[in-house]
Amino acid sequence: MPLTPRLRRRVWIAALAVAGVAASAVTANAMFFMPPAPPKAAPTSSATTVAPPALADTTTPPPAPAATSTPPAETTKAAAAPTKPQEPIPPNAVRVAEFVAECPFTHKLPDDPIVLPNLPGASHMHSFFGNTSTNAHSDVTSLSKAGSTCSPKVDLSSYWVPTLLVDGQAVEPTGTTFYYLGEGVRDDVTARIQPLPYGLRIVAGNAKATAPDNTTMSRWSCLHAGHVGASKDFVNCPAGTMIESYLDFPQCWNGKDLDSADHKSHMSYPVAGDCPSTHPVPVPKLRQVLRYPASGDPARFKLSSGPGFTMHGDFFNVWPEAEMAQRVRDCINRIVKCGPDGRP
């Protein structure tokens, strides 16, 4: 049956309605079933990604790699580095590996903070030089906070020896020089001498010797009277001269101990111009030179430790590390004679 115009209009309206419903369905399907858009990427960065807080709180961080730790030896070297620039060697410099400290007498006590620490009055009488605070309780901390009679003042080290008695009375030296030397070893060994380690303690000589022997490291002689000759025991110095004592400390260190049970085994004297393998680190040789205002018959002389061959010396190093390092570099390694200021 042919459609009338009115019927055709109704069919067209119905078709439009169906098409609208279909379009609405498609739109709804797109809205509710389309996969969500991916989140925007975070800005690119070279920093390491930080773990979420929950993971960070429950996870133990791995230990730092060993390679990031500074070895103790390197730390020591850095702390000991000289702070002063190295000066050129003057044309008139004396080519002797040496620097010195003049350290006058300070006081005497029956104390020994190395051999008999924390036992006041337990030792024979000692005469002390340099650090003004030394007593039985001294350690590197207390010494580093005290004053000094030394020239240079920066040397806070403590030096001590048995007291000399003349006719039963204490006599203190008026000349007190402490030489730091590069002699006694080959020049190539001198060139690699290292600073004495901070806090090092050494005893040289034998306080308990019963006769002059190879443990007697000291020598007695006469100032301005070389013809008398040196001896391990007291000598008879002519009137108008002074008796003097020389004592050399060992100059080879084992590289690890600041002291030892006998206060000697961590150090060694050189052998054939070099340090032995047991004590491979060459350090400056400390030479103690004391001049006493006394002369004449040696029978009148005695040390608080006994005869002249019991002469011994104790050394407690409290040189500031940079000052010691500068003098070793500029004076010892280069074989140049320097004064108390550490300069040629």
Side-chain angles (χ1 to χ4, degrees):
M1 180 179 70
L3 295 177
T4 64
R6 185 176 181 181
L7 183 60
R8 282 199 300 269
R9 185 168 58 252
R10 288 180 177 178
V11 171
W12 183 74
I13 292 172
L16 288 176
V18 172
V21 171
S24 298
V26 171
T27 302
N29 190 55
M31 290 177 61
F32 294 104
F33 299 102
M34 182 178 293
K40 293 182 179 180
T44 304
S45 171
S46 58
T48 303
T49 302
V50 179
L55 292 177
D57 291 342
T58 58
T59 305
T60 302
T68 62
S69 300
T70 302
E74 291 185 14
T75 302
T76 301
K77 289 179 181 177
T83 57
K84 300 176 184 176
Q86 189 172 44
E87 299 179 5
I89 299 174
N92 61 342
V94 179
R95 303 313 296 268
V96 175
E98 172 189 308
F99 66 92
V100 299
E102 301 282 352
C103 302
F105 169 77
T106 62
H107 61 286
K108 59 180 182 290
L109 285 173
D111 291 0
D112 191 328
I114 292 179
V115 177
L116 296 167
N118 302 311
L119 294 173
S123 175
H124 51 257
M125 190 64 71
H126 280 116
S127 296
F128 293 89
F129 312 94
N131 198 291
T132 57
S133 71
T134 314
N135 59 40
H137 301 288
S138 294
D139 57 22
V140 71
T141 300
S142 66
L143 293 172
S144 68
K145 296 177 180 178
S148 174
T149 62
C150 289
S151 174
K153 287 292 186 183
V154 294
D155 181 12
L156 299 178
S157 302
S158 185
Y159 312 83
W160 62 97
V161 299
T163 300
L164 175 67
L165 305 172
V166 180
D167 297 324
Q169 300 298 313
V171 175
E172 303 302 344
T174 54
T176 52
T177 306
F178 297 89
Y179 296 88
Y180 292 81
L181 306 168
E183 67 176 37
V185 292
R186 301 189 311 264
D187 285 355
D188 63 297
V189 180
T190 299
R192 56 185 176 86
I193 282 178
Q194 296 186 22
L196 287 155
Y198 188 74
L200 181 70
R201 284 148 282 175
I202 319 174
V203 177
N206 184 4
K208 299 180 179 179
T210 57
D213 57 23
N214 60 3
T215 66
T216 305
M217 309 313 300
S218 61
R219 297 292 184 274
W220 293 94
S221 59
C222 302
L223 180 65
H224 304 315
H227 61 279
V228 174
S231 171
K232 293 184 177 183
D233 208 343
F234 296 124
V235 293
N236 192 334
C237 296
T241 66
M242 300 173 69
I243 191 168
E244 56 185 357
S245 170
Y246 284 74
L247 176 64
D248 283 355
F249 285 70
Q251 64 194 108
C252 298
W253 178 44
N254 68 6
K256 56 183 180 179
D257 299 312
L258 297 178
D259 201 357
S260 52
D262 62 359
H263 316 294
K264 297 180 180 181
S265 298
H266 58 303
M267 303 295 297
S268 173
Y269 288 90
V271 178
D274 199 356
C275 288
S277 59
T278 54
H279 297 76
V281 182
V283 294
K285 174 169 67 178
L286 174 61
R287 172 172 293 164
Q288 165 188 291
V289 180
L290 306 176
R291 298 185 173 101
Y292 296 85
S295 60
D297 186 358
R300 301 165 49 227
F301 299 167
K302 183 182 179 181
L303 293 172
S304 58
S305 56
F309 51 78
T310 66
M311 184 60 164
H312 56 284
D314 297 64
F315 169 60
F316 202 135
N317 179 36
V318 198
W319 276 90
E321 291 181 277
E323 293 284 348
M324 168 66 71
Q326 179 255 314
R327 286 164 170 78
V328 169
R329 179 196 68 183
D330 295 351
C331 312
I332 300 295
N333 297 148
R334 296 198 298 177
I335 311 182
V336 175
K337 180 181 177 68
C338 294
D341 63 354
R343 302 177 63 186

